[in-house]
Amino acid sequence: MSSSVSPLAPQTVPDMPTIAGVRLATAEAGIRYKNRTDVLLAVMDKGTAVAGVFTKSKCPSAPVEWCRAKLKGGKARALVVNSGNANAFTGKTGRASTALTAKIAAKAVGCGEGEIFLASTGVIGEPLDATKFDGVLGRLAETAEPGDYLAAAKAIMTTDTFPKVATATVKLGKAKVTINGMAKGAGMIAPDMATMLSFIFTDAPIAPAALQALLKSGVEDTFNAVTIDGDTSTSDTLLAFATGAAAEHGAPRISRASDPLLKAFVKAFNRILANLSEQVARDGEGARKLVEITVEGAKTKASARKIAMSIANSPLVKTAIAGEDANWGRVVMAVGKAGEPADRDKLSISFNGIRVAKSGARDPSYDEAQVSEAMKAPEIAIKVSLGLGKGRDRVLTCDLTKEYVAINGDYRS
């Protein structure tokens, strides 16, 4: 966790309301860090529905495997998250750690181990000493309150420079429901399902299958459209919990994701995912520029996504942006290597609304001074027009600075 906050951090932090059926508590368990909270316990009321999406990495962490297995039950009573140790690439020891953590948490909360969900973030390859949770989780279960989401978000940070939270209130039927979310992530970010770690809570009465469908759909143009460094984590986990408490105030029970009553809720839910994923991009390790890349005129949306990601993950493009250089040649390179349909002589590129390349060559009106001034902005928009079809997509990334190398050069040590 950095001592200096990213210059791209949001200027304001929302007031996070309570959600009926959710209680939170944090503590210092001494997993890796000293003098800071590193464990979060969220306790949910009985009957809380759960949904989740996880990394597609072939080397997933032990908590990811645990959650995948328990998700089939569709119900959750508690979430335990620790920072400082990812419990990934830890073999039998890692699986034993998750089992022990779940056992301790289940006893503390008073539920079955199948209703405990786990997430870990931090160093890969180091055994996690789950005995450190013994006693800690019991105290947290006793002191948990329906309150401080900001403190919860701080407890799960690693190289993050600021806690990431978002909230929305929306009508479901005639009742008001609330959606709260938190996330962590700053490096090893190229989600292939969700994000590093993110957790969504709502009091809406939504069945597990419907919640799962909403979550799976919602991540595609939010968390899956963000990249910091092109590296998909072993621990990517996004879990959503719906306590159903709003049913007591007249909110209808939802069993299908296609229910017309969910229309406003889905928009708010997706706004939360988009907000959190943008905050992750704003907190990219060492970042000084938030970069939006839009590709239009592609053969398909999927083709536009691949090209946009090729640009966003290019170290040459990202370092040029860090140097405030509108080097469209590097963008051309990234388009060309993406392996998707493209025609050099139809290609146009713009930086922050200024067209620098047109029809496969430098724009006739190109003005170096004008573009150089535009590149000093903290937010950079790159638009690529392929002129081949109607496919369009957008991804977020950040620049690549010397600080990124410094952070990752001594991360483990």
PDB file of all heavy atoms in Angstrom, residues 369-391:
ATOM      1  N   ALA A 369       2.710  21.101 -32.062  1.00  0.00           N
ATOM      2  CA  ALA A 369       2.558  21.881 -30.830  1.00  0.00           C
ATOM      3  C   ALA A 369       1.176  21.662 -30.206  1.00  0.00           C
ATOM      4  O   ALA A 369       1.046  21.518 -28.987  1.00  0.00           O
ATOM      5  CB  ALA A 369       2.770  23.364 -31.128  1.00  0.00           C
ATOM      6  N   GLN A 370       0.158  21.635 -31.056  1.00  0.00           N
ATOM      7  CA  GLN A 370      -1.207  21.435 -30.564  1.00  0.00           C
ATOM      8  C   GLN A 370      -1.364  20.066 -29.912  1.00  0.00           C
ATOM      9  O   GLN A 370      -1.924  19.946 -28.827  1.00  0.00           O
ATOM     10  CB  GLN A 370      -2.197  21.569 -31.721  1.00  0.00           C
ATOM     11  CG  GLN A 370      -3.656  21.382 -31.294  1.00  0.00           C
ATOM     12  CD  GLN A 370      -4.601  21.280 -32.496  1.00  0.00           C
ATOM     13  OE1 GLN A 370      -4.191  20.828 -33.567  1.00  0.00           O
ATOM     14  NE2 GLN A 370      -5.838  21.695 -32.313  1.00  0.00           N
ATOM     15  N   VAL A 371      -0.846  19.050 -30.564  1.00  0.00           N
ATOM     16  CA  VAL A 371      -0.975  17.693 -30.032  1.00  0.00           C
ATOM     17  C   VAL A 371      -0.130  17.527 -28.771  1.00  0.00           C
ATOM     18  O   VAL A 371      -0.566  16.893 -27.804  1.00  0.00           O
ATOM     19  CB  VAL A 371      -0.556  16.652 -31.096  1.00  0.00           C
ATOM     20  CG1 VAL A 371      -0.652  15.247 -30.521  1.00  0.00           C
ATOM     21  CG2 VAL A 371      -1.430  16.778 -32.337  1.00  0.00           C
ATOM     22  N   SER A 372       1.056  18.086 -28.738  1.00  0.00           N
ATOM     23  CA  SER A 372       1.922  17.989 -27.557  1.00  0.00           C
ATOM     24  C   SER A 372       1.247  18.613 -26.341  1.00  0.00           C
ATOM     25  O   SER A 372       1.347  18.093 -25.222  1.00  0.00           O
ATOM     26  CB  SER A 372       3.264  18.676 -27.824  1.00  0.00           C
ATOM     27  OG  SER A 372       3.982  18.003 -28.835  1.00  0.00           O
ATOM     28  N   GLU A 373       0.561  19.721 -26.543  1.00  0.00           N
ATOM     29  CA  GLU A 373      -0.148  20.373 -25.448  1.00  0.00           C
ATOM     30  C   GLU A 373      -1.291  19.482 -24.957  1.00  0.00           C
ATOM     31  O   GLU A 373      -1.516  19.350 -23.748  1.00  0.00           O
ATOM     32  CB  GLU A 373      -0.703  21.728 -25.912  1.00  0.00           C
ATOM     33  CG  GLU A 373      -1.385  22.531 -24.813  1.00  0.00           C
ATOM     34  CD  GLU A 373      -0.438  22.935 -23.693  1.00  0.00           C
ATOM     35  OE1 GLU A 373       0.773  23.096 -23.956  1.00  0.00           O
ATOM     36  OE2 GLU A 373      -0.908  23.086 -22.541  1.00  0.00           O
ATOM     37  N   ALA A 374      -2.010  18.841 -25.872  1.00  0.00           N
ATOM     38  CA  ALA A 374      -3.124  17.963 -25.509  1.00  0.00           C
ATOM     39  C   ALA A 374      -2.645  16.754 -24.709  1.00  0.00           C
ATOM     40  O   ALA A 374      -3.349  16.269 -23.823  1.00  0.00           O
ATOM     41  CB  ALA A 374      -3.852  17.504 -26.770  1.00  0.00           C
ATOM     42  N   MET A 375      -1.437  16.285 -24.999  1.00  0.00           N
ATOM     43  CA  MET A 375      -0.922  15.094 -24.335  1.00  0.00           C
ATOM     44  C   MET A 375      -0.510  15.357 -22.885  1.00  0.00           C
ATOM     45  O   MET A 375      -0.200  14.429 -22.150  1.00  0.00           O
ATOM     46  CB  MET A 375       0.265  14.532 -25.109  1.00  0.00           C
ATOM     47  CG  MET A 375      -0.098  13.958 -26.475  1.00  0.00           C
ATOM     48  SD  MET A 375      -1.324  12.646 -26.424  1.00  0.00           S
ATOM     49  CE  MET A 375      -0.362  11.348 -25.646  1.00  0.00           C
ATOM     50  N   LYS A 376      -0.508  16.621 -22.452  1.00  0.00           N
ATOM     51  CA  LYS A 376      -0.178  16.940 -21.070  1.00  0.00           C
ATOM     52  C   LYS A 376      -1.348  16.693 -20.128  1.00  0.00           C
ATOM     53  O   LYS A 376      -1.173  16.692 -18.906  1.00  0.00           O
ATOM     54  CB  LYS A 376       0.268  18.400 -20.969  1.00  0.00           C
ATOM     55  CG  LYS A 376       1.569  18.702 -21.699  1.00  0.00           C
ATOM     56  CD  LYS A 376       1.922  20.186 -21.585  1.00  0.00           C
ATOM     57  CE  LYS A 376       3.210  20.494 -22.347  1.00  0.00           C
ATOM     58  NZ  LYS A 376       3.545  21.941 -22.264  1.00  0.00           N
ATOM     59  N   ALA A 377      -2.528  16.480 -20.682  1.00  0.00           N
ATOM     60  CA  ALA A 377      -3.728  16.258 -19.863  1.00  0.00           C
ATOM     61  C   ALA A 377      -3.611  14.958 -19.075  1.00  0.00           C
ATOM     62  O   ALA A 377      -2.964  14.002 -19.521  1.00  0.00           O
ATOM     63  CB  ALA A 377      -4.962  16.221 -20.747  1.00  0.00           C
ATOM     64  N   PRO A 378      -4.232  14.880 -17.882  1.00  0.00           N
ATOM     65  CA  PRO A 378      -4.174  13.649 -17.081  1.00  0.00           C
ATOM     66  C   PRO A 378      -5.016  12.515 -17.651  1.00  0.00           C
ATOM     67  O   PRO A 378      -4.826  11.360 -17.285  1.00  0.00           O
ATOM     68  CB  PRO A 378      -4.707  14.105 -15.718  1.00  0.00           C
ATOM     69  CG  PRO A 378      -5.573  15.279 -16.027  1.00  0.00           C
ATOM     70  CD  PRO A 378      -4.925  15.969 -17.179  1.00  0.00           C
ATOM     71  N   GLU A 379      -5.947  12.842 -18.540  1.00  0.00           N
ATOM     72  CA  GLU A 379      -6.776  11.827 -19.175  1.00  0.00           C
ATOM     73  C   GLU A 379      -6.587  11.897 -20.685  1.00  0.00           C
ATOM     74  O   GLU A 379      -6.749  12.956 -21.285  1.00  0.00           O
ATOM     75  CB  GLU A 379      -8.249  12.012 -18.797  1.00  0.00           C
ATOM     76  CG  GLU A 379      -8.494  11.869 -17.289  1.00  0.00           C
ATOM     77  CD  GLU A 379      -9.954  11.956 -16.905  1.00  0.00           C
ATOM     78  OE1 GLU A 379     -10.814  11.903 -17.817  1.00  0.00           O
ATOM     79  OE2 GLU A 379     -10.242  12.075 -15.696  1.00  0.00           O
ATOM     80  N   ILE A 380      -6.241  10.770 -21.274  1.00  0.00           N
ATOM     81  CA  ILE A 380      -5.944  10.699 -22.700  1.00  0.00           C
ATOM     82  C   ILE A 380      -6.947   9.774 -23.388  1.00  0.00           C
ATOM     83  O   ILE A 380      -7.138   8.632 -22.963  1.00  0.00           O
ATOM     84  CB  ILE A 380      -4.515  10.169 -22.954  1.00  0.00           C
ATOM     85  CG1 ILE A 380      -3.478  11.026 -22.207  1.00  0.00           C
ATOM     86  CG2 ILE A 380      -4.229  10.117 -24.454  1.00  0.00           C
ATOM     87  CD1 ILE A 380      -3.411  12.459 -22.668  1.00  0.00           C
ATOM     88  N   ALA A 381      -7.572  10.292 -24.439  1.00  0.00           N
ATOM     89  CA  ALA A 381      -8.516   9.487 -25.222  1.00  0.00           C
ATOM     90  C   ALA A 381      -7.905   9.204 -26.588  1.00  0.00           C
ATOM     91  O   ALA A 381      -7.605  10.134 -27.346  1.00  0.00           O
ATOM     92  CB  ALA A 381      -9.836  10.220 -25.372  1.00  0.00           C
ATOM     93  N   ILE A 382      -7.717   7.925 -26.881  1.00  0.00           N
ATOM     94  CA  ILE A 382      -7.210   7.511 -28.191  1.00  0.00           C
ATOM     95  C   ILE A 382      -8.374   6.884 -28.957  1.00  0.00           C
ATOM     96  O   ILE A 382      -9.033   5.973 -28.453  1.00  0.00           O
ATOM     97  CB  ILE A 382      -6.072   6.489 -28.059  1.00  0.00           C
ATOM     98  CG1 ILE A 382      -4.899   7.093 -27.288  1.00  0.00           C
ATOM     99  CG2 ILE A 382      -5.618   6.005 -29.435  1.00  0.00           C
ATOM    100  CD1 ILE A 382      -3.772   6.108 -27.023  1.00  0.00           C
ATOM    101  N   LYS A 383      -8.625   7.394 -30.152  1.00  0.00           N
ATOM    102  CA  LYS A 383      -9.678   6.809 -30.988  1.00  0.00           C
ATOM    103  C   LYS A 383      -9.060   6.282 -32.272  1.00  0.00           C
ATOM    104  O   LYS A 383      -8.300   6.981 -32.946  1.00  0.00           O
ATOM    105  CB  LYS A 383     -10.768   7.820 -31.314  1.00  0.00           C
ATOM    106  CG  LYS A 383     -11.884   7.237 -32.195  1.00  0.00           C
ATOM    107  CD  LYS A 383     -12.957   8.258 -32.541  1.00  0.00           C
ATOM    108  CE  LYS A 383     -13.856   8.522 -31.362  1.00  0.00           C
ATOM    109  NZ  LYS A 383     -15.021   9.386 -31.745  1.00  0.00           N
ATOM    110  N   VAL A 384      -9.407   5.052 -32.593  1.00  0.00           N
ATOM    111  CA  VAL A 384      -8.935   4.412 -33.820  1.00  0.00           C
ATOM    112  C   VAL A 384     -10.147   4.065 -34.671  1.00  0.00           C
ATOM    113  O   VAL A 384     -11.059   3.381 -34.199  1.00  0.00           O
ATOM    114  CB  VAL A 384      -8.133   3.135 -33.507  1.00  0.00           C
ATOM    115  CG1 VAL A 384      -7.765   2.395 -34.791  1.00  0.00           C
ATOM    116  CG2 VAL A 384      -6.878   3.478 -32.721  1.00  0.00           C
ATOM    117  N   SER A 385     -10.165   4.563 -35.896  1.00  0.00           N
ATOM    118  CA  SER A 385     -11.249   4.251 -36.832  1.00  0.00           C
ATOM    119  C   SER A 385     -10.698   3.356 -37.933  1.00  0.00           C
ATOM    120  O   SER A 385      -9.743   3.727 -38.623  1.00  0.00           O
ATOM    121  CB  SER A 385     -11.818   5.539 -37.431  1.00  0.00           C
ATOM    122  OG  SER A 385     -12.358   6.384 -36.417  1.00  0.00           O
ATOM    123  N   LEU A 386     -11.306   2.164 -38.067  1.00  0.00           N
ATOM    124  CA  LEU A 386     -10.802   1.181 -39.027  1.00  0.00           C
ATOM    125  C   LEU A 386     -11.479   1.275 -40.391  1.00  0.00           C
ATOM    126  O   LEU A 386     -10.903   0.863 -41.399  1.00  0.00           O
ATOM    127  CB  LEU A 386     -10.993  -0.227 -38.469  1.00  0.00           C
ATOM    128  CG  LEU A 386     -10.251  -0.537 -37.163  1.00  0.00           C
ATOM    129  CD1 LEU A 386     -10.666  -1.896 -36.651  1.00  0.00           C
ATOM    130  CD2 LEU A 386      -8.757  -0.475 -37.359  1.00  0.00           C
ATOM    131  N   GLY A 387     -12.729   1.772 -40.415  1.00  0.00           N
ATOM    132  CA  GLY A 387     -13.438   1.923 -41.681  1.00  0.00           C
ATOM    133  C   GLY A 387     -13.830   0.632 -42.357  1.00  0.00           C
ATOM    134  O   GLY A 387     -13.959   0.582 -43.592  1.00  0.00           O
ATOM    135  N   LEU A 388     -14.062  -0.404 -41.547  1.00  0.00           N
ATOM    136  CA  LEU A 388     -14.384  -1.716 -42.128  1.00  0.00           C
ATOM    137  C   LEU A 388     -15.800  -2.206 -41.817  1.00  0.00           C
ATOM    138  O   LEU A 388     -16.311  -3.081 -42.517  1.00  0.00           O
ATOM    139  CB  LEU A 388     -13.390  -2.769 -41.627  1.00  0.00           C
ATOM    140  CG  LEU A 388     -11.915  -2.548 -41.961  1.00  0.00           C
ATOM    141  CD1 LEU A 388     -11.073  -3.662 -41.350  1.00  0.00           C
ATOM    142  CD2 LEU A 388     -11.698  -2.482 -43.462  1.00  0.00           C
ATOM    143  N   GLY A 389     -16.410  -1.684 -40.771  1.00  0.00           N
ATOM    144  CA  GLY A 389     -17.712  -2.189 -40.377  1.00  0.00           C
ATOM    145  C   GLY A 389     -18.308  -1.361 -39.259  1.00  0.00           C
ATOM    146  O   GLY A 389     -17.961  -0.189 -39.078  1.00  0.00           O
ATOM    147  N   LYS A 390     -19.191  -1.987 -38.469  1.00  0.00           N
ATOM    148  CA  LYS A 390     -19.893  -1.278 -37.406  1.00  0.00           C
ATOM    149  C   LYS A 390     -19.433  -1.695 -36.005  1.00  0.00           C
ATOM    150  O   LYS A 390     -19.989  -1.246 -35.007  1.00  0.00           O
ATOM    151  CB  LYS A 390     -21.394  -1.512 -37.543  1.00  0.00           C
ATOM    152  CG  LYS A 390     -21.977  -0.944 -38.830  1.00  0.00           C
ATOM    153  CD  LYS A 390     -23.479  -1.158 -38.897  1.00  0.00           C
ATOM    154  CE  LYS A 390     -24.063  -0.564 -40.187  1.00  0.00           C
ATOM    155  NZ  LYS A 390     -25.539  -0.756 -40.267  1.00  0.00           N
ATOM    156  N   GLY A 391     -18.449  -2.561 -35.938  1.00  0.00           N
ATOM    157  CA  GLY A 391     -17.962  -3.017 -34.631  1.00  0.00           C
ATOM    158  C   GLY A 391     -17.282  -1.906 -33.853  1.00  0.00           C
ATOM    159  O   GLY A 391     -16.475  -1.157 -34.407  1.00  0.00           O
TER     160      GLY A 391
END
